[in-house]
Amino acid sequence: MKEIELKVPNLGEAEDTEIIEISVKKGDKLNKNDPIIVLESEKAAMEVPSDYDGTIKDIMVKEGDSVKEGVVFAVIEIEETEKIKTKEEKTTSTSPEPAIITNTQSISEVTSIDFSGINAGPAVRKIARELEIDLKKINGSGKNAMITKEDLKNYIHSSTSNTPSFASLDSLKDFGEFKVEQLSKIRKLGAKNLTQSWTSIPHVTHFEEIDISIIEEQRAELNKTSETKLTPLSYLVMKTISALQEFPQFNAALVGEGEIMLRKYFNIGIAVDTKDGLLVPVIKEADKLNITEVANEIIKLADKAKNKKLLERNLSGGTFSISSLGPMGGTGFTPIINPPEVAILGVSRAKKVPFLEGDQLVEKTILPVALSYDHRVINGADAGKFMNFLKSEIEKGI
C-alpha cells in the first residue's frame, strides 16, 4: 500500500481559491474520477477528482478554507500496482504532480462557470454549478440583490415547467384491462399551458363566501321580463370589473423583471367546458357593456365554444378570468391562473344556508368563491382588500 498527498491544482491566474465543498470523508473508498473537493475562484470553479482507486486516509482542509496551488488537501492510500499504472499513464506530463493537474484541466473546461460579479453564497453556487445554471439569469431577492436558495429554487421550478411527468404504459399494463385514448388537441394544449402556469407562477388562493340573496331576488324579477336569461355569472362579471377598477394590479400583466403593465381595458375571460376540453373565450371591453349585454356575450361565446366556432380573436387579449363550476357542484377549488393574467376568480355552487338575524331565522344564498393570484405581483393584504370589496359590491345588489 502507498499513501499519496493530493495537492490543490492550478486554477489559472487566481492566487487564492476557496474550498466550497468537500465531497468525501476519512475512510471513504474512491474510484478514479470520483470528486474529492470543489474549488472556486473569482473567475472559475471546478471539481478536483481522484486520479486513483483508493481510500481517503486524511483530509487536511475544511469547507471555507482559502488555499493556494500546491497545498496538500488530502491523503489517499492506493495499491502499489495502482501507483505504477498511474505513472505509466502520465509519462508524457511534465507536471510535478501529474495525478492532480493533468485531469483537472479537462474538468475545468467542462464544469467552469463564470460567477464573476454574482452576489451569491457558496451553497447557492454549489447547486448552480452541479445543475449548470447561469446565476446571471436570476434576480436576487436578498440584501444587495443577493441570490438566495429560494430564488434558485423558484428559477429551477420555472425552468422545468415545460417538462410534465407522464406515467409509463409498460409499468401499468399488467394490472387489468384498459384502452388508450388520444387527448384532443385542445386538451393537449390545455395540459401544457396549465402545467407551465402552475409550475412557473407562485399561486396563492384566497377563499371567501358571498351572500348573493339580494342578487338572486333581483335576477328572478328581471328574468320575468327580460328576453335574455341573466345568470349569476353575468352579475359576477359586472361586479368583478368594479373591483378591477378599484384595484388595478389585479388587471395587470408581469411584462419584465420588476415591471408590470397596468391595463386600462377590461377583457374578461369566461371558462367554458366543452367535450374537447376547457376553453376561455374573452368578453372584450366588458366594462362598456350593461348586464344584459354581458349575459348575451356569455351565451354567444359559450355556444361558439361548444360548436367549435371560436376564432383566435375570441380567445386572446384577456386581462382577468372567471371559472364557474356552479352547475357542476363542489364547495371550493383552486383555479389556475391564465398567463399573462395575474389573477383568476373561481366560483363554486351556491347553497342555501340558515342564518339567525335578531330573533328571526332566515335563509340566505351563499356563493363560495376563490381568488388565485400571482404572489410576485399581488400580496395577501391586497387580495384580502380585493375580495372584501367584491363581496360588498355583490351583496348590495345592482
Side-chain angles (χ1 to χ4, degrees):
M1 304 294 287
K2 177 72 173 179
E3 291 187 359
I4 295 180
E5 292 182 339
L6 304 178
K7 298 181 180 181
V8 174
N10 183 0
L11 261 183
E13 298 177 359
E15 292 186 2
D16 291 327
T17 59
E18 180 183 349
I19 296 177
I20 64 169
E21 180 186 349
I22 298 175
S23 306
V24 299
K25 61 183 183 296
K26 188 176 179 179
D28 281 357
K29 293 185 180 298
L30 299 182
N31 295 319
K32 187 175 180 180
N33 293 325
D34 283 349
I36 303 174
I37 61 173
V38 179
L39 298 174
E40 181 179 78
S41 70
E42 291 183 355
K43 295 184 177 180
M46 68 178 184
E47 289 180 339
V48 178
S50 174
D51 275 355
Y52 308 94
D53 294 333
T55 303
I56 293 294
K57 299 298 292 183
D58 201 2
I59 298 173
M60 324 297 288
V61 294
K62 62 182 183 298
E63 290 183 3
D65 280 358
S66 181
V67 295
K68 295 183 178 182
E69 178 184 353
V71 171
V72 176
F73 64 84
V75 175
I76 189 169
E77 184 179 66
I78 66 171
E79 295 283 348
E80 199 71 28
T81 54
E82 174 68 16
K83 174 186 172 184
I84 294 170
K85 181 179 73 171
T86 303
K87 282 186 175 180
E88 290 173 350
E89 289 175 349
K90 309 297 182 178
T91 51
T92 59
S93 172
T94 60
S95 166
E97 289 293 338
I100 297 297
I101 296 177
T102 53
N103 274 354
T104 55
Q105 180 61 34
S106 61
I107 293 293
S108 177
E109 291 173 358
V110 174
T111 64
S112 291
I113 303 173
D114 183 10
F115 286 155
S116 58
I118 297 296
N119 188 3
V124 170
R125 292 176 183 235
K126 171 190 170 185
I127 297 170
R129 187 177 305 104
E130 289 174 347
L131 300 180
E132 298 183 357
I133 293 172
D134 184 358
L135 291 179
K136 292 180 179 179
K137 295 180 180 180
I138 303 176
N139 290 324
S141 63
K143 186 177 181 181
N144 297 323
M146 185 175 191
I147 299 172
T148 66
K149 284 187 178 180
E150 191 67 22
D151 296 329
L152 185 59
K153 182 177 74 173
N154 289 338
Y155 178 82
I156 294 169
H157 202 44
S158 174
S159 299
T160 57
S161 62
N162 290 321
T163 313
S165 175
F166 303 107
S168 166
L169 179 61
D170 288 339
S171 68
L172 301 175
K173 65 182 182 180
D174 296 329
F175 296 99
E177 294 184 5
F178 66 92
K179 68 175 182 177
V180 176
E181 293 183 347
Q182 288 292 321
L183 291 175
S184 67
K185 290 183 179 180
I186 291 175
R187 289 188 187 275
K188 287 180 182 178
L189 180 60
K192 180 180 178 181
N193 291 341
L194 290 172
T195 300
Q196 182 174 4
S197 174
W198 186 252
T199 55
S200 64
I201 297 175
H203 281 64
V204 180
T205 304
H206 182 115
F207 295 91
E208 187 59 86
E209 291 186 334
I210 301 176
D211 181 359
I212 61 169
S213 302
I214 293 178
I215 279 183
E216 286 297 271
E217 292 175 5
Q218 294 174 340
R219 189 170 67 88
E221 286 298 317
L222 288 172
N223 281 340
K224 291 178 181 179
T225 57
S226 175
E227 294 183 2
T228 302
K229 182 180 180 182
L230 302 179
T231 63
L233 183 56
S234 54
Y235 282 84
L236 279 172
V237 170
M238 300 296 292
K239 298 298 185 178
T240 297
I241 290 171
S242 297
L244 294 175
Q245 291 169 334
E246 186 73 14
F247 300 93
Q249 67 268 44
F250 287 82
N251 201 52
L254 190 62
V255 293
E257 296 178 357
E259 291 184 324
I260 61 171
M261 175 191 288
L262 297 173
R263 294 177 282 190
K264 298 182 179 180
Y265 54 95
F266 301 88
N267 296 341
I268 308 300
I270 303 297
V272 178
D273 183 43
T274 74
K275 64 180 181 179
D276 294 315
L278 191 69
L279 292 171
V280 187
V282 178
I283 304 174
K284 300 293 176 60
E285 298 185 314
D287 57 311
K288 298 180 180 180
L289 306 178
N290 61 39
I291 192 167
T292 301
E293 291 169 333
V294 167
N296 280 327
E297 279 296 301
I298 292 172
I299 293 170
K300 181 173 68 176
L301 290 172
D303 182 68
K304 284 186 175 181
K306 292 174 181 178
N307 290 286
K308 299 183 179 180
K309 294 183 179 180
L310 288 174
L311 303 176
E312 175 61 29
R313 65 173 180 268
N314 299 131
L315 295 166
S316 60
T319 62
F320 186 94
S321 294
I322 300 176
S323 179
S324 176
L325 294 180
M328 288 161 271
T331 58
F333 68 100
T334 300
I336 299 178
I337 297 166
N338 186 24
E341 299 166 21
V342 296
I344 181 173
L345 188 70
V347 185
S348 298
R349 182 168 58 186
K351 55 186 176 182
K352 300 286 187 179
V353 177
F355 271 84
L356 189 63
E357 289 186 349
D359 296 330
Q360 297 292 320
L361 187 65
V362 298
E363 186 178 68
K364 294 188 177 183
T365 304
I366 302 299
L367 184 69
V369 296
L371 175 75
S372 288
Y373 56 92
D374 186 336
H375 209 3
R376 297 172 299 178
V377 179
I378 298 164
N379 60 40
D382 290 332
K385 293 172 185 176
F386 179 92
M387 289 295 271
N388 284 337
F389 182 90
L390 180 62
K391 176 181 172 74
S392 176
E393 285 294 298
I394 292 174
E395 289 184 348
K396 69 184 182 184
I398 297 175

